[in-house]
Amino acid sequence: MNKKGFQAVMKNKIWRNAIFAFSLVTSLSVTAAETAKSTDSYVNMKDVIPYFHPANSQEANLILLMNLLNQGQFFDGAELVIEDIETYRLTSKKMNSNDSSISKTIPSTDEQGKQIESKPSIPAPLFYLPSDYKDEQEKINNKILTELQQFGVEASARTISSLNELKRFNQTVVQDTLLDNLQKQLLISLRGALFSYHFATDNTDKTTLTTNDIITNKIKALSGDERVGEYKGYLLALDAYKNNQLDKAKEQFTVLIEAKHVWIAESAKYMLIRIAADEYTQWCIDNQLSSSEASVEAKTENVAKSAADKQSISEVLLEQKAKKIQEVERLVNAYQKRYPTGMYLMEVKLKLFEILNTQTDPLKRIRMYQMESAYYEELMMNPIDYEDALKIAPEIATGVLSHFPFALKNPIEKLTKEKAYLVQPIYPLLDFIDALALLDSNKKSEMNKKQIEKRIETVAFNLENISQNSLANYLRVEANWRLNKDANKTLEQIDALSLSFNDINKTDVFSIFLIKTEALLKLNKVDEANQIGEFMLKKATPNQPLSALKQVYLELKFMKTLN
């Protein structure tokens, strides 16, 4: 790969912000300070190497796993910074196989004071950017800004989200064969008028045709026949919701969940979930109870004089809070049952998990983690696009995997980590990511080597039960190498797998071959290790090419020059 193969140089600030280009809401709705904060919290990882590795963050390994499961290349051509690549090349001329660091450029020394060169690695933001994605996303963002301006609306998270809702509505209307062109034009214009009114910077001018009363009256004047009547009901319910008339909106959307138009019925069910979530948030505010606080505080004016009365009020509030949460959960479960592949499913699930996370009871939290894990496990087994992969990776890493194993958090049973894993339900794919973290030598573990080996074998066995044999093979090889550092046995284990260089584009196979080179380097078989690196570069076929990042990594690791 030469310099012409890279896209234009992007300076540090640019490509750090570019990682958020995948999110229309984020990239257009936050201030510069918020962007920097969001970027740090979203990446939240050290530099990554573009294949499975215990030292990678769980988010990085998750993205790689979802990429592998989809048989795609989310990262088929990242925008790389030429200066950094040159730096990697110059500082990676000598590789020490015992060096487990993935630091980029800062050299360390061994016991004799000799300099040990760092492993080459790819900066996390670069790792996330697929080919031409930023340019395409900028075009989309500019288009959205233009559309918002046409409605007299400024860009924010709420307006962009609402603009997407408007587009869904308009697309549904256009495709509705039971409406004539005049009806379509009228419905689309009224939906646009509502959008302009609800989000206009200054909507106090009552002399224009964008006042609430005039729009509402025009909606009410729509025909009451079956098809137009359902759209009419949706617009009136939406108007009530946007004006914070939640009881009225709830009543109107409840009627619409039985609408004959599938889109209206599903959207009504979704809106009922949003209303319930809003009511929960408002209840917390009204009772001076932050949804993220662990303690329950009564309103100042209701605080009782005696400790007994105070306790009674707290118990009542806790019970009320539990009922609010249960209502959201009931609605989400009803939605999933009726629309198992619904267009709002991920959104409502994430909203539910966010609310459930405010529970403080340990047993309830264990149940919540199990619910999340089951959902994410199922989600990862099905096709998932790039934006969704980026969206849920941090949710899984911080919301679920950081609490593995769940039962360990149970104050009643007081289980050891080894026993806690045994009572936790099986989640083969999430368990795989968690198992890799157990092999990170930089992390302290409550489990000894024998216990970790047993856990690894259990996870590998469960992967085979869902036909993920290649992942299971990789995990066993990685564990054997990390735990034992026996180069000869590792090479025997890998050779027994009879892997083909034609599968080198697959991340698990790629990872095994990299382990093989590490084992060879430990035996001082440098020429053989370099030969494998060259084969890995050459054997990728045009139909199944290496990702740009994998290719760059190999070139750096095996001392290829960027001509």
Side-chain angles (χ1 to χ4, degrees):
M1 177 180 290
N2 55 36
K3 290 186 180 179
K4 292 181 181 178
F6 295 110
Q7 297 182 8
V9 175
M10 295 165 58
K11 296 300 180 182
N12 183 63
K13 183 178 180 181
I14 297 176
W15 57 251
R16 275 183 63 79
N17 289 338
I19 189 175
F20 266 68
F22 68 85
S23 171
L24 298 180
V25 173
T26 306
S27 62
L28 290 175
S29 65
V30 294
T31 64
E34 289 172 327
T35 300
K37 180 179 178 182
S38 300
T39 303
D40 289 338
S41 63
Y42 200 95
V43 178
N44 196 25
M45 64 175 76
K46 50 193 170 184
D47 290 348
V48 298
I49 44 182
Y51 60 93
F52 293 131
H53 196 288
N56 269 344
S57 76
Q58 290 186 323
E59 289 178 44
N61 284 329
L62 267 169
I63 297 287
L64 287 166
L65 177 59
M66 286 185 274
N67 185 48
L68 176 66
L69 294 172
N70 279 270
Q71 298 180 342
Q73 295 292 337
F74 289 149
F75 325 116
D76 59 352
E79 294 172 325
L80 302 173
V81 182
I82 301 298
E83 293 95 330
D84 283 353
I85 294 299
E86 291 287 1
T87 302
Y88 292 143
R89 183 172 65 82
L90 293 172
T91 58
S92 303
K93 290 180 179 177
K94 239 193 211 176
M95 299 298 300
N96 186 300
S97 62
N98 293 322
D99 179 21
S100 62
S101 169
I102 60 169
S103 172
K104 291 192 299 214
T105 57
I106 303 176
S108 56
T109 57
D110 60 17
E111 293 178 357
Q112 287 74 38
K114 295 180 180 179
Q115 193 176 85
I116 299 175
E117 298 293 348
S118 304
K119 276 190 181 181
S121 60
I122 306 298
L126 302 180
F127 170 77
Y128 278 148
L129 291 174
S131 177
D132 299 326
Y133 194 82
K134 177 178 174 291
D135 290 340
E136 183 62 28
Q137 199 63 56
E138 283 182 350
K139 293 178 183 177
I140 295 173
N141 290 349
N142 290 334
K143 181 180 178 182
I144 287 178
L145 287 173
T146 300
E147 290 171 341
L148 290 173
Q149 289 171 359
Q150 291 174 348
F151 286 105
V153 172
E154 294 182 354
S156 70
R158 290 179 65 236
T159 58
I160 294 170
S161 176
S162 295
L163 180 63
N164 289 333
E165 294 171 8
L166 178 147
K167 289 181 177 180
R168 283 177 182 161
F169 178 90
N170 289 352
Q171 184 179 19
T172 301
V173 169
V174 169
Q175 295 173 348
D176 194 332
T177 58
L178 298 182
L179 298 174
D180 60 41
N181 287 335
L182 287 177
Q183 290 172 325
K184 291 178 181 180
Q185 290 174 14
L186 182 57
L187 288 170
I188 289 173
S189 65
L190 286 172
R191 181 66 182 87
L194 276 180
F195 180 71
S196 291
Y197 174 77
H198 291 140
F199 297 105
T201 304
D202 181 7
N203 59 6
T204 59
D205 182 3
K206 300 301 181 183
T207 64
T208 69
L209 290 179
T210 57
T211 61
N212 192 36
D213 288 342
I214 294 178
I215 298 171
T216 303
N217 288 335
K218 283 185 173 293
I219 295 174
K220 289 179 178 178
L222 287 171
S223 168
D225 66 58
E226 187 173 78
R227 198 57 157 190
V228 175
E230 290 183 346
Y231 285 106
K232 173 181 177 179
Y234 175 83
L235 290 174
L236 289 172
L238 184 65
D239 188 35
Y241 174 75
K242 296 295 185 183
N243 287 319
N244 205 33
Q245 299 170 346
L246 298 186
D247 288 340
K248 183 177 179 181
K250 186 192 301 185
E251 180 182 345
Q252 293 172 325
F253 279 124
T254 300
V255 173
L256 291 172
I257 62 175
E258 300 301 330
K260 292 185 178 180
H261 195 302
V262 176
W263 184 88
I264 292 177
E266 183 177 353
S267 296
K269 217 164 185 61
Y270 161 69
M271 290 303 300
L272 287 173
I273 295 171
R274 285 182 58 177
I275 291 171
D278 289 348
E279 288 178 333
Y280 169 75
T281 301
Q282 188 59 49
W283 179 89
C284 290
I285 294 172
D286 290 344
N287 291 279
Q288 294 186 358
L289 172 61
S290 168
S291 58
S292 61
E293 285 179 341
S295 62
V296 174
E297 299 261 351
K299 287 183 182 180
T300 303
E301 61 268 23
N302 289 335
V303 173
K305 293 181 180 180
S306 69
D309 288 344
K310 201 177 208 179
Q311 178 63 25
S312 176
I313 292 173
S314 294
E315 290 175 355
V316 169
L317 289 175
L318 280 174
E319 184 178 350
Q320 290 175 353
K321 178 184 178 184
K323 288 182 178 179
K324 294 287 183 184
I325 293 175
Q326 289 168 6
E327 176 62 9
V328 177
E329 186 175 350
R330 182 189 70 79
L331 289 169
V332 171
N333 290 338
Y335 175 89
Q336 184 173 15
K337 183 177 180 180
R338 185 160 182 175
Y339 306 104
T341 59
M343 57 184 165
Y344 305 107
L345 185 57
M346 181 183 291
E347 188 174 341
V348 298
K349 279 289 187 179
L350 292 179
K351 175 59 69 176
L352 172 62
F353 297 153
E354 179 185 329
I355 291 175
L356 289 176
N357 197 46
T358 66
Q359 296 181 119
T360 55
D361 181 88
L363 295 179
K364 289 181 179 179
R365 290 183 70 82
I366 288 174
R367 175 175 169 270
M368 177 197 72
Y369 295 137
Q370 291 176 345
M371 285 173 55
E372 287 191 72
S373 296
Y375 172 67
Y376 288 132
E377 185 78 14
E378 180 182 357
L379 191 66
M380 290 168 64
M381 289 295 290
N382 294 293
I384 184 169
D385 66 23
Y386 174 72
E387 291 183 12
D388 285 343
L390 286 176
K391 183 177 182 180
I392 69 169
E395 297 282 348
I396 297 173
T398 59
V400 177
L401 288 172
S402 62
H403 296 91
F404 266 35
F406 308 141
L408 191 65
K409 315 297 179 184
N410 183 350
I412 298 175
E413 298 185 42
K414 301 287 185 182
L415 298 176
T416 64
K417 193 164 187 176
E418 183 186 24
K419 290 183 178 178
Y421 273 123
L422 294 176
V423 300
Q424 180 168 297
I426 295 171
Y427 312 105
L429 299 176
L430 297 182
D431 288 340
F432 167 75
I433 301 299
D434 177 67
L436 279 182
L438 289 177
L439 297 174
D440 186 357
S441 60
N442 294 319
K443 294 180 180 177
K444 292 183 179 180
S445 175
E446 300 174 27
M447 300 168 68
N448 59 37
K449 177 184 171 183
K450 186 176 180 180
Q451 291 171 333
I452 293 176
E453 286 177 333
K454 185 176 179 181
R455 173 63 180 166
I456 294 295
E457 183 53 40
T458 298
V459 174
F461 176 78
N462 291 332
L463 285 169
E464 290 174 334
N465 282 342
I466 61 169
S467 301
Q468 293 294 335
N469 297 51
S470 187
L471 270 181
N473 289 337
Y474 157 69
L475 185 59
R476 290 188 176 107
V477 170
E478 186 75 78
N480 182 36
W481 175 240
R482 298 292 162 190
L483 296 174
N484 301 312
K485 283 296 181 181
D486 188 322
N488 287 313
K489 287 188 177 180
T490 297
L491 291 173
E492 290 176 7
Q493 183 183 21
I494 294 173
D495 290 341
L497 296 175
S498 301
L499 299 176
S500 170
F501 281 107
N502 292 329
D503 294 325
I504 202 66
N505 65 305
K506 298 178 181 178
T507 300
D508 44 9
V509 176
F510 184 95
S511 303
I512 293 175
F513 275 117
L514 262 294
I515 295 173
K516 185 172 184 177
T517 65
E518 291 180 18
L520 288 169
L521 287 172
K522 187 173 183 181
L523 296 173
N524 293 319
K525 297 182 178 181
V526 178
D527 290 341
E528 290 185 44
N530 284 335
Q531 188 177 41
I532 288 177
E534 291 177 11
F535 273 129
M536 292 171 74
L537 282 164
K538 293 177 180 177
K539 289 294 183 178
T541 65
N543 293 331
Q544 294 182 312
L546 286 176
S547 71
L549 293 183
K550 285 188 174 72
Q551 185 162 344
V552 169
Y553 184 85
L554 288 176
E555 290 175 347
L556 297 176
K557 183 174 177 67
F558 297 103
M559 297 168 286
K560 294 290 181 182
T561 59
L562 297 173
N563 297 320

